[in-house]
Amino acid sequence: MRTAIDVRRVDYSDAAQAATLVRLLDAYAQDPMGGGEALSDEVKARLPSALAAFPAAFSLMAWVDGQAVGLLNAMEGFSTFAARPLVNVHDLAVLPHWRGQGVGRALLQAVEREAVARGACKLTLEVLSGNTGASRLYVQQGFALYALDPEQGTAQFMQKKLEA
C-alpha cells in the first residue's frame, strides 16, 4: 500500500516549521548533491526570518505520517520575454530514505500548482549533471534543457560569488 504524501506550504513564523525547514535544508547541504557541507550556524539562525522577509520566496514541505521528508524552496521571478512571472525551484531536497518513493514528484506537482495560481509562464530549476536520479525525475515531470535556438546550444547556469 502506497503511503500518502501531504505537501503543505511552510509558515516561516511557526517555530516548529522553521526548525524543520532548517533541518531538511541542512541535510540536503550535507549531501554530495548539496555541496557536502553543513550550513553554518549563522545561516541556520537567519534562514527562516530571511525567507519570510523576502516576498518572492515560498517553501513547500512534504510530510508522510507526521514526519517531514522533503522540502522545496522556490523564488518567484519574472520572464521579460513573456512579460509574466516565473517560479524558480531553488532547492528540492528529499531525505535519503524517502528518495524514489514519490516525494520529489509530489513537491514538483505542488509547486506547479502554485506557479499556475500565480500566473507564472514557466518553472525553472538547476541540477548537477551528475545527479542522474533528479534529472530523470525532472524530465518525467516535463522539464527540458533550456534553449532559445537549438543551433545556439542550451543555457548554462553560472555564478559569481560576491563578498558580503
Side-chain angles (χ1 to χ4, degrees):
M1 183 175 182
R2 183 156 226 172
T3 306
I5 301 166
D6 180 28
V7 176
R8 291 179 257 162
R9 182 120 179 224
V10 174
D11 177 356
Y12 301 127
S13 67
D14 180 288
Q17 290 184 45
T20 302
L21 179 145
V22 169
R23 180 179 57 79
L24 289 170
L25 190 65
D26 189 47
Y28 173 53
Q30 292 180 54
D31 187 274
M33 295 304 162
E37 290 185 25
L39 298 175
S40 71
D41 289 341
E42 187 266 335
V43 167
K44 290 178 189 177
R46 243 179 358 99
L47 183 62
S49 61
L51 284 168
F54 194 69
F58 65 95
S59 300
L60 303 171
M61 215 175 291
W63 298 82
V64 175
D65 296 330
Q67 178 185 0
V69 298
L71 171 69
L72 186 148
N73 291 318
M75 308 293 160
E76 188 173 307
F78 191 79
S79 169
T80 55
F81 283 15
R84 290 177 48 201
L86 62 83
V87 171
N88 177 259
V89 175
H90 190 72
D91 302 301
L92 177 55
V94 176
L95 293 176
H97 175 75
W98 290 95
R99 292 178 187 159
Q101 297 185 51
V103 175
R105 182 180 328 106
L107 285 163
L108 288 171
Q109 290 170 348
V111 77
E112 183 171 340
R113 288 190 299 274
E114 178 67 22
V116 168
R118 291 170 178 250
C121 63
K122 65 181 173 179
L123 287 170
T124 62
L125 56 76
E126 64 191 75
V127 62
L128 295 174
S129 59
N131 194 345
T132 56
S135 295
R136 192 171 33 257
L137 171 64
Y138 300 149
V139 169
Q140 290 169 353
Q141 293 301 302
F143 288 85
L145 295 177
Y146 175 75
L148 293 172
D149 175 353
E151 290 185 20
Q152 299 304 317
T154 57
Q156 297 178 30
F157 185 79
M158 301 174 79
Q159 74 173 3
K160 177 182 178 181
K161 291 192 176 186
L162 304 174
E163 295 298 317

